[in-house]
Amino acid sequence: MKEQTLALIKPDAIAKRYQGLIIHEILEAGFEIKAMKMLHLTEEGAKAFYAVHKEKEFYEPLVEFMTSGSIIAMILEKENAVADYRELMGPTDPGAAAEGTLRRKFAETTRRNAVHGSDSPDNAKKEIAFFF
Ligand code: GDP
């Protein structure tokens, strides 16, 4: 059964003009892009999106980073989209990311890690509703 997930291209990747390459990889991996928009998160928006991390020491710098420039939000669709997109992204720390993953290719650091993808089907629904 087809499934949807929420993908973001983060400000570091946009600043480096990687958005075209990332979208190309997503399409090559078999995802359909059902919706896409470019936006600039407000501080309030970034805080709400990452509210689950509000007790973490990286929360404030994460909000600062995510509001530092424009992002691209996309609804991706394919069979097993949530898990398959997490696999295409690679882990949070790009130093631990496998060859061929988006974070291995395009991320700088654990914070400035180029892309986001929902971590469960439930969160995918919530995150899609947040942006679309
Ligand atoms: P994700 O699902 O792989 O994006 O990771 P999380 O949901 O755990 O964290 C959300 C985002 O917060 C990550 O993508 C990073 O941008 C940032 N982040 C997470 N963990 C750390 C950390 O230990 N240090 C820093 N600086 N940033 C982090």
Side-chain angles (χ1 to χ4, degrees):
M1 208 186 67
K2 289 209 171 168
E3 185 179 66
Q4 293 190 335
T5 193
L6 187 277
L8 299 178
I9 303 178
K10 295 183 177 183
D12 58 319
I14 305 255
K16 289 175 152 181
R17 306 171 72 92
Y18 285 155
Q19 60 270 51
L21 293 170
I22 291 171
I23 291 165
H24 176 72
E25 300 263 346
I26 287 169
L27 293 170
E28 284 288 298
F31 294 89
E32 277 183 59
I33 300 174
K34 304 299 284 187
M36 173 159 62
K37 67 179 170 190
M38 192 164 206
L39 67 143
H40 196 133
L41 275 173
T42 61
E43 185 179 338
E44 209 182 357
K47 282 184 168 168
F49 186 70
Y50 282 117
V52 61
H53 292 309
K54 67 173 180 290
E55 307 304 332
K56 309 262 175 63
E57 85 290 343
F58 63 78
Y59 182 63
E60 284 297 334
L62 173 60
V63 168
E64 198 175 305
F65 161 56
M66 288 301 291
T67 56
S68 67
S70 296
I71 63 167
I72 291 172
M74 291 173 280
I75 302 174
L76 305 184
E77 186 176 286
K78 78 189 275 295
E79 304 245 330
N80 206 34
V82 171
D84 285 1
Y85 185 63
R86 296 285 294 185
E87 195 179 325
L88 180 64
M89 280 199 311
T92 315
D93 173 5
E99 202 72 55
T101 60
L102 297 176
R103 281 171 166 166
R104 175 70 172 260
K105 287 181 183 163
F106 303 115
E108 291 171 22
T109 63
T110 298
R111 180 179 312 132
R112 298 171 63 83
N113 59 6
V115 284
H116 166 86
S118 309
D119 65 1
S120 69
D122 264 10
N123 281 338
K125 287 195 182 77
K126 287 180 198 152
E127 292 181 359
I128 286 169
F130 183 92
F131 283 103
F132 293 95

